[in-house]
Amino acid sequence: MKISRILQRKSGEIASVAPDRSIPDVVAILCERDIGAVIVLDEAQQMAGIVSERDIVRALDEHGPDLSGLTAADLMTREVKHCAPEEDINHVMRVMTDGRFRHLPILDDGRLVGIISIGDAVRARIEELEREREALQHYIAG
């Protein structure tokens, strides 16, 4: 299954923030949308980084409970792995597993077109396996 197919099922809205957005605001967005990461976009609307729950937990360990003085730019991962819409779900799952992260931006010719979570990837793979199982059952029965 290609990533483009998974993106078609998603809302199309990409949670993003400006680099100067406060961490309490980022946390509020994560909670409000029930998501695990936001993309940080620069003034030109290009991906500058990503802030995940893990980045926030690490900041809590390093800075203590008051993160109000920090911004998305302070915590974001700047070297963000990404993939293209034509990538296969198995490749994406391998990249996420090897990199030990749960959110992968999708870029098409350098333009951000979506983000895939590990939950999206697992759900798509389970659906793919279920279709294969059904096809095999029909083949055996028929």
Side-chain angles (χ1 to χ4, degrees):
M1 178 181 296
K2 301 294 182 195
I3 296 305
S4 57
R5 188 165 168 198
I6 297 170
L7 290 178
Q8 289 172 351
R9 292 189 237 164
K10 295 184 71 155
S11 71
E13 186 178 344
I14 303 167
S16 64
V17 297
D20 62 351
R21 195 72 177 263
S22 75
I23 293 306
D25 285 350
V26 171
V27 170
I29 291 168
L30 295 176
C31 292
E32 177 184 301
R33 296 188 182 193
D34 195 25
I35 56 176
V38 294
I39 302 295
V40 181
L41 298 178
D42 65 17
E43 302 83 29
Q45 298 300 297
Q46 296 297 310
M47 184 172 61
I50 187 170
V51 177
S52 71
E53 295 165 318
R54 185 175 291 163
D55 296 320
I56 294 166
V57 168
R58 287 184 178 140
L60 286 168
D61 180 54
E62 183 178 336
H63 301 283
D66 184 14
L67 301 180
S68 59
L70 297 175
T71 65
D74 295 327
L75 298 190
M76 71 183 181
T77 300
R78 295 171 190 280
E79 298 295 320
V80 182
K81 297 246 187 218
H82 60 275
C83 72
E86 63 272 4
E87 295 285 350
D88 182 81
I89 190 64
N90 293 322
H91 170 74
V92 167
M93 291 178 79
R94 207 171 304 111
V95 168
M96 293 172 99
T97 300
D98 292 347
R100 299 184 52 87
F101 50 84
R102 296 175 292 192
H103 300 87
L104 188 65
I106 311 303
L107 301 180
D108 191 8
D109 289 328
R111 187 175 62 86
L112 182 66
V113 295
I115 186 167
I116 297 293
S117 72
I118 193 67
D120 297 328
V122 169
R123 187 177 310 107
R125 186 64 180 124
I126 288 170
E127 290 171 6
E128 190 175 56
L129 290 170
E130 183 64 23
R131 281 193 301 279
E132 289 174 9
R133 182 190 62 78
E134 289 173 4
L136 286 171
Q137 281 181 323
H138 287 0
Y139 175 76
I140 292 168

